[in-house]
Amino acid sequence: MERESLEMDVVFVGAGPANLSGALHLARLVNEHNAAVEDGKKEGKSLGEIQIAVIEKGASVGAHILSGAVMDPRGLAELIPDFREQGAPIEAEVNDDHFLYLTKKRAIRSPINPPPLNNHGYYIVSLNRLTAWLGEQCEAAGVNIFPEFPGAEMLFDRNEQVIGVRTGDKGIDKEGKQKANFEPGVDLLAKVTVLGEGVRGSLTKKLIQRLGLDEGREPQVYSLGVKELWELPDDRYPTGRVTHTLGFPSDQWTYGGGWIYGMQNRIVNLGYVTGLDYRDPLIDPHAEFQKFKSHPFIAKLLAGGKMLRYGAKAIAAGGWNAMPQMYSDGVLLVGDSAGFLNAARLKGIHSAIKSGMLAAETIFEALLKEDYSSATLENYERRVKDSWITPELRRYRNFHAAFRHGRWLGMANAGLQYVFGGRAWGIIDRDHQEAGHEAMQKLSAYGYRGDDVSQRYQDFRFDGQLTFNKVTDVYHAAVAHDEDQPAHLHVLDTNICSTRCAEEYGNPCQRFCPAAVYEMVEAGPAANAEGSNGGSRPRRQLQINFSNCVHCKTCDIMDPYQIINWVTPEGGGGPDYKGM
Ligand SMILES: Cc1cc2nc3c(=O)[nH]c(=O)nc-3n(C[C@H](O)[C@H](O)[C@H](O)COP(=O)(O)OP(=O)(O)OC[C@H]3O[C@@H](n4cnc5c(N)ncnc54)[C@H](O)[C@@H]3O)c2cc1C
């Protein structure tokens, strides 16, 4: 197939805070350098016009961006010191911090806030809006932004140097045939490609495997954040108040907690995080969030209110010890793609911005030296190590791992780590760190009898007012995918779904997916050993409702057999997280 090639200098894959900050900082460094050389204020030669592109799979910048979000302004203040005067969309300055322990019926307020969750002086933002605003700043600085352009494949030369990215084809039908509107993807060639795809990036995952960038590191672990925006009838929850919760509804072996952030115009942003290293195969993170809302304290807060929006997205929680090598020839990893998030603080925006800026400074150095190999790009890691990111992340390097021993030991250990600079005190067995999906136990091992997978939530009902089922919630994520395209969720062996997975785990994809993408449907009577259809139990097979997908990446992470591969769908498809 004939493909167009476009020569850029630098291509940033993903228009999140990390890459937009990187692109903006780089454009400014180049412009300032060229101006100083032309004015005779600096020696050396002008770099000329440097072509910087940012590609984004969403229909617009910010469409796929979902976050809490309470932002530590440190990163943004370095990028744009007068960001408030420049009109950055800020909902509120945090003025009230609460930390609650929830029992089944009660909410007990802690007299002190755990230090990592001290948010005074930070800002409540809609990251969707903030990212769209950063996109505008990039365009004003001369950066080319291409929404609806998913990065589908990395391009390599014969020495394994990354030389760019191929964008996804458009106009392929569900049988894989070209439609009338077919447009082949473009090869975007670049001296440096920056992967800022966010959590569990589809290109990042393949690149890390291909180049062994995670060798000697701990496996990355994840959580899933499920959230809704609610409009309240009155001012009962003030703008600028931040509440974090621990306890109900998570059991003590499941890492989790809730948040409630007061935005403008009586809107509250609330959600629940469930660790994607849970043990009980019947856990459903969406149902955990709905149960969270049914707690008397939360239910009272939301009474008479209206649910406006829904979304879900995974969070990289492994921290410092799980970060891969962040460079190779022709490529850098930034933001959540490299695991820069601080799980103890549930904050990654500030470090994503900073990592993008450090990547930009390294690329600027590479452009001056005209060397795009690891020899120069490895300076990115040195810059990260010399920056404020490193002491922050090192201090919490064992935070998530401590919770593998249950909530109370995890809390105690996290406290000690905080005081003693991140030391794990022997509680973490480094040789046995496991990826999250390996923690899930089989139905029989967890003590479940029979194949009734509704046991965990059998007494819980979605009432359509306070609590919603997945299909209703997905409607509020404004998800749209052209249904006449190949499914972008590749299940490598669907036979396992009907056999081993059904028996061993009761098809947990139906539960861990927060968007009702995976469904086991009846496919006629089961075949008996002789192959005739005389079996008594109906045979069930997997149906993938890919058009519901909110791009949270949980299935790619949590599938116990690791046979689900999330790839980018046609550009523009996915959720629309306006105001989230
Ligand atoms: C529920 C939740 C709550 C959070 N709360 C907070 C908080 O309160 N405070 C805080 O600081 N942080 C919070 N975070 C973390 C924060 O959102 C992230 O750390 C931050 O957004 C990371 O920025 P990023 O640029 O690396 O990635 P992202 O923000 O994820 O952006 C990545 C972008 O790349 C695009 N993309 C991905 N793959 C491709 C591809 N192949 N081709 C083209 N485009 C692609 C995506 O569509 C997306 O637009 C939270 C995260 C979640 C999920």
Side-chain angles (χ1 to χ4, degrees):
M1 185 194 299
E2 288 272 306
R3 280 183 197 276
E4 201 186 330
S5 283
L6 264 178
E7 288 220 20
M8 308 299 297
D9 292 289
V10 185
V11 171
F12 289 85
V13 181
N19 264 350
L20 292 171
S21 306
L24 178 60
H25 194 47
L26 179 61
R28 286 181 179 163
L29 288 171
V30 170
N31 293 343
E32 281 163 18
H33 167 84
N34 287 350
V37 170
E38 277 154 31
D39 293 349
K41 292 185 185 142
K42 193 172 176 185
E43 282 186 17
K45 62 176 184 110
S46 161
L47 287 169
E49 202 178 320
I50 295 293
Q51 290 293 339
I52 305 171
V54 180
I55 60 168
E56 167 56 46
K57 64 180 164 64
S60 59
V61 173
H64 292 181
I65 300 283
L66 181 89
S67 196
V70 173
M71 179 183 70
D72 175 345
R74 192 169 188 180
L76 189 58
E78 284 187 23
L79 181 71
I80 306 174
D82 57 346
F83 64 90
R84 292 217 71 167
E85 292 73 25
Q86 295 288 327
I90 300 291
E91 287 285 325
E93 190 169 335
V94 178
N95 50 35
D96 197 9
D97 245 341
H98 294 209
F99 185 74
L100 306 178
Y101 184 79
L102 303 184
T103 66
K104 224 169 170 184
K105 297 258 179 270
R106 293 183 58 213
I108 303 158
R109 185 168 175 197
S110 164
I112 46 157
N113 247 22
L117 291 178
N118 207 339
N119 294 299
H120 269 268
Y122 295 170
Y123 295 99
I124 298 176
V125 296
S126 149
L127 193 56
N128 156 276
R129 287 200 197 113
L130 186 73
T131 319
W133 179 79
L134 277 174
E136 289 165 17
Q137 311 306 305
C138 282
E139 285 185 316
V143 174
N144 305 289
I145 301 195
F146 302 106
E148 298 201 7
F149 271 75
E153 224 179 290
M154 299 297 287
L155 301 171
F156 295 86
D157 70 7
R158 65 173 86 100
N159 301 318
E160 290 288 81
Q161 169 141 354
V162 173
I163 53 166
V165 65
R166 175 168 295 166
T167 65
D169 296 336
K170 272 196 169 172
I172 307 263
D173 73 11
K174 54 181 172 230
E175 311 296 338
K177 297 199 190 91
Q178 296 179 6
K179 297 192 276 192
N181 65 344
F182 175 72
E183 268 178 51
V186 178
D187 284 349
L188 287 172
L189 304 176
K191 293 168 177 143
V192 184
T193 305
V194 188
L195 293 180
E197 298 179 283
V199 63
R200 190 77 161 194
S202 46
L203 296 180
T204 309
K205 176 176 123 174
K206 275 168 87 179
L207 184 86
I208 289 175
Q209 281 167 359
R210 178 170 173 152
L211 303 181
L213 300 180
D214 56 352
E215 221 176 271
R217 322 285 161 118
E218 286 176 11
Q220 182 58 273
V221 286
Y222 303 87
S223 300
L224 175 62
V226 183
K227 71 179 264 193
E228 289 171 355
L229 292 189
W230 278 69
E231 186 179 10
L232 301 183
D234 51 44
D235 293 332
R236 65 184 78 161
Y237 195 90
T239 304
R241 176 181 294 173
V242 164
T243 302
H244 287 105
T245 74
L246 191 71
F248 181 87
S250 289
D251 60 58
Q252 81 118 340
W253 294 108
T254 306
Y255 178 89
W259 78 83
I260 311 164
Y261 301 156
M263 300 172 74
Q264 288 176 12
N265 304 322
R266 306 188 319 275
I267 292 183
V268 289
N269 159 343
L270 79 164
Y272 201 80
V273 170
T274 300
L276 291 177
D277 47 4
Y278 58 78
R279 300 176 182 195
D280 180 347
L282 297 191
I283 280 186
D284 178 329
H286 168 269
E288 294 288 300
F289 170 54
Q290 299 304 318
K291 272 184 92 170
F292 168 69
K293 288 188 297 170
S294 73
H295 186 279
F297 174 82
I298 315 283
K300 189 170 165 212
L301 171 71
L302 299 178
K306 186 176 164 213
M307 193 265 279
L308 303 175
R309 314 275 300 150
Y310 170 78
K313 190 165 172 172
I315 299 167
W320 180 259
N321 291 331
M323 291 174 89
Q325 180 180 311
M326 300 167 218
Y327 65 90
S328 188
D329 296 321
V331 67
L332 295 175
L333 308 183
V334 297
D336 280 5
S337 284
F340 275 96
L341 182 131
N342 180 337
R345 301 176 68 206
L346 189 57
K347 287 187 180 52
I349 302 170
H350 65 305
S351 48
I353 292 176
K354 181 70 178 174
S355 71
M357 292 176 72
L358 298 174
E361 287 161 25
T362 311
I363 298 167
F364 178 61
E365 180 193 347
L367 288 166
L368 291 174
K369 284 192 193 163
E370 295 186 38
D371 174 20
Y372 312 103
S373 71
S374 293
T376 298
L377 296 188
E378 71 178 0
N379 288 334
Y380 169 50
E381 275 201 2
R382 182 187 50 71
R383 287 186 165 89
V384 170
K385 287 193 176 128
D386 291 345
S387 75
W388 48 258
I389 293 180
T390 294
E392 178 184 331
L393 292 188
R394 276 190 57 75
R395 181 168 207 179
Y396 296 105
R397 64 190 179 278
N398 291 308
F399 176 80
H400 186 91
F403 285 84
R404 290 169 68 241
H405 300 275
R407 181 187 298 148
W408 298 115
L409 220 49
M411 289 281 287
N413 198 249
L416 282 173
Q417 288 174 30
Y418 181 78
V419 176
F420 294 102
R423 282 191 59 194
W425 300 98
I427 204 166
I428 289 148
D429 184 350
R430 209 158 281 291
D431 295 335
H432 293 95
Q433 288 295 306
E434 58 196 354
H437 68 274
E438 289 170 4
M440 193 194 291
Q441 297 189 14
K442 295 188 177 150
L443 288 169
S444 53
Y446 212 79
Y448 287 119
R449 279 187 308 260
D451 59 0
D452 175 12
V453 293
S454 66
Q455 291 171 69
R456 188 177 166 110
Y457 302 101
Q458 61 197 0
D459 298 329
F460 185 72
R461 296 279 168 273
F462 302 118
D463 63 11
Q465 291 207 314
L466 173 66
T467 55
F468 304 97
N469 63 22
K470 286 185 188 175
V471 175
T472 309
D473 261 335
V474 169
Y475 172 79
H476 288 88
V479 188
H481 290 95
D482 182 345
E483 301 217 1
D484 190 14
Q485 64 173 302
H488 64 280
L489 300 148
H490 297 174
V491 179
L492 306 181
D493 179 359
T494 47
N495 221 7
I496 291 186
C497 312
S498 325
T499 54
R500 271 184 72 192
C501 188
E503 277 160 32
E504 293 180 342
Y505 298 100
N507 300 111
C509 57
Q510 300 179 100
R511 295 178 292 281
F512 57 62
C513 168
V517 167
Y518 298 93
E519 218 180 322
M520 293 302 289
V521 295
E522 286 190 11
N528 64 18
E530 285 80 46
S532 77
N533 281 343
S536 52
R537 270 175 41 202
R539 192 160 52 86
R540 287 158 74 81
Q541 70 183 26
L542 181 68
Q543 175 174 297
I544 302 178
N545 307 315
F546 74 87
S547 52
N548 282 358
C549 175
V550 292
H551 297 204
C552 71
K553 310 288 177 72
T554 303
C555 54
D556 193 292
I557 294 165
M558 201 53 190
D559 166 44
Y561 306 97
Q562 292 293 285
I563 53 170
I564 302 181
N565 197 25
W566 192 102
V567 300
T568 46
E570 193 170 290
D576 185 0
Y577 286 143
K578 228 171 240 124
M580 294 288 271

